[in-house]
Short mmCIF file of all heavy atoms in Angstrom, two decimals:
data_model
loop_
_atom_site.label_atom_id
_atom_site.label_comp_id
_atom_site.label_asym_id
_atom_site.label_seq_id
_atom_site.Cartn_x
_atom_site.Cartn_y
_atom_site.Cartn_z
N ARG A 11 59.97 -66.15 -176.37
CA ARG A 11 58.83 -66.94 -176.85
C ARG A 11 57.62 -66.75 -175.94
O ARG A 11 56.49 -66.56 -176.41
CB ARG A 11 59.23 -68.40 -176.91
CG ARG A 11 58.17 -69.31 -177.45
CD ARG A 11 58.70 -70.72 -177.57
NE ARG A 11 57.66 -71.61 -178.02
CZ ARG A 11 57.69 -72.90 -177.89
NH1 ARG A 11 58.73 -73.48 -177.32
NH2 ARG A 11 56.71 -73.64 -178.32
N GLN A 15 53.89 -65.12 -176.81
CA GLN A 15 52.64 -65.80 -176.51
C GLN A 15 51.72 -64.92 -175.66
O GLN A 15 50.52 -64.83 -175.92
CB GLN A 15 52.92 -67.13 -175.80
CG GLN A 15 53.56 -68.15 -176.72
CD GLN A 15 54.08 -69.37 -175.99
OE1 GLN A 15 54.16 -69.40 -174.77
NE2 GLN A 15 54.44 -70.40 -176.76
N ASN A 94 43.06 -69.41 -182.38
CA ASN A 94 43.45 -70.79 -182.08
C ASN A 94 44.46 -71.31 -183.10
O ASN A 94 45.42 -72.00 -182.73
CB ASN A 94 42.23 -71.71 -182.03
CG ASN A 94 41.41 -71.49 -180.79
OD1 ASN A 94 41.88 -70.97 -179.79
ND2 ASN A 94 40.16 -71.90 -180.84
N GLU A 95 44.25 -70.99 -184.36
CA GLU A 95 45.19 -71.43 -185.39
C GLU A 95 46.56 -70.78 -185.20
O GLU A 95 47.58 -71.46 -185.22
CB GLU A 95 44.64 -71.12 -186.78
CG GLU A 95 43.48 -72.00 -187.18
CD GLU A 95 42.91 -71.62 -188.54
OE1 GLU A 95 43.55 -70.85 -189.28
OE2 GLU A 95 41.80 -72.09 -188.84
N SER A 96 46.57 -69.47 -185.03
CA SER A 96 47.85 -68.78 -184.92
C SER A 96 48.55 -69.11 -183.60
O SER A 96 49.76 -69.30 -183.56
CB SER A 96 47.69 -67.27 -185.07
OG SER A 96 46.94 -66.74 -184.00
N PHE A 97 47.80 -69.24 -182.52
CA PHE A 97 48.40 -69.55 -181.23
C PHE A 97 48.90 -70.99 -181.22
O PHE A 97 49.95 -71.28 -180.65
CB PHE A 97 47.41 -69.30 -180.09
CG PHE A 97 48.08 -69.16 -178.75
CD1 PHE A 97 48.83 -68.03 -178.46
CD2 PHE A 97 47.96 -70.14 -177.79
CE1 PHE A 97 49.44 -67.89 -177.21
CE2 PHE A 97 48.57 -70.01 -176.55
CZ PHE A 97 49.31 -68.88 -176.27
N GLY A 98 48.15 -71.87 -181.86
CA GLY A 98 48.60 -73.26 -181.96
C GLY A 98 49.91 -73.36 -182.71
O GLY A 98 50.82 -74.11 -182.32
N ASP A 99 50.02 -72.58 -183.79
CA ASP A 99 51.28 -72.55 -184.54
C ASP A 99 52.41 -72.03 -183.66
O ASP A 99 53.53 -72.54 -183.69
CB ASP A 99 51.16 -71.67 -185.79
CG ASP A 99 50.24 -72.27 -186.85
OD1 ASP A 99 49.94 -73.48 -186.76
OD2 ASP A 99 49.82 -71.52 -187.74
N MET A 100 52.10 -71.00 -182.87
CA MET A 100 53.11 -70.41 -182.01
C MET A 100 53.55 -71.40 -180.92
O MET A 100 54.72 -71.52 -180.61
CB MET A 100 52.55 -69.13 -181.34
CG MET A 100 53.57 -68.31 -180.62
SD MET A 100 52.87 -66.86 -179.79
CE MET A 100 52.01 -66.05 -181.13
N LEU A 101 52.60 -72.14 -180.37
CA LEU A 101 52.94 -73.12 -179.33
C LEU A 101 53.74 -74.28 -179.90
O LEU A 101 54.61 -74.83 -179.24
CB LEU A 101 51.67 -73.66 -178.66
CG LEU A 101 50.94 -72.70 -177.74
CD1 LEU A 101 49.64 -73.34 -177.26
CD2 LEU A 101 51.79 -72.27 -176.58
N GLY A 102 53.43 -74.63 -181.15
CA GLY A 102 54.13 -75.75 -181.78
C GLY A 102 55.51 -75.41 -182.29
O GLY A 102 56.34 -76.29 -182.52
N ALA A 103 55.78 -74.13 -182.44
CA ALA A 103 57.10 -73.71 -182.95
C ALA A 103 58.17 -74.00 -181.91
O ALA A 103 58.00 -73.78 -180.73
CB ALA A 103 57.09 -72.21 -183.27
N ARG A 104 59.24 -74.54 -182.37
CA ARG A 104 60.37 -74.86 -181.50
C ARG A 104 61.35 -73.69 -181.49
O ARG A 104 61.58 -73.07 -182.53
CB ARG A 104 61.10 -76.11 -182.00
CG ARG A 104 60.27 -77.33 -181.97
CD ARG A 104 60.34 -77.95 -180.60
NE ARG A 104 59.61 -79.20 -180.57
CZ ARG A 104 58.82 -79.52 -179.60
NH1 ARG A 104 58.65 -78.73 -178.57
NH2 ARG A 104 58.20 -80.68 -179.60
N PRO A 105 61.88 -73.39 -180.31
CA PRO A 105 62.91 -72.35 -180.28
C PRO A 105 64.08 -72.73 -181.16
O PRO A 105 64.37 -73.91 -181.36
CB PRO A 105 63.33 -72.31 -178.80
CG PRO A 105 62.21 -72.95 -178.05
CD PRO A 105 61.58 -73.94 -179.00
#
Side-chain angles (χ1 to χ4, degrees):
R11 183 176 177 199
Q15 291 169 348
N94 287 339
E95 289 177 13
S96 65
F97 199 71
D99 291 344
M100 190 182 305
L101 288 175
R104 296 275 184 223

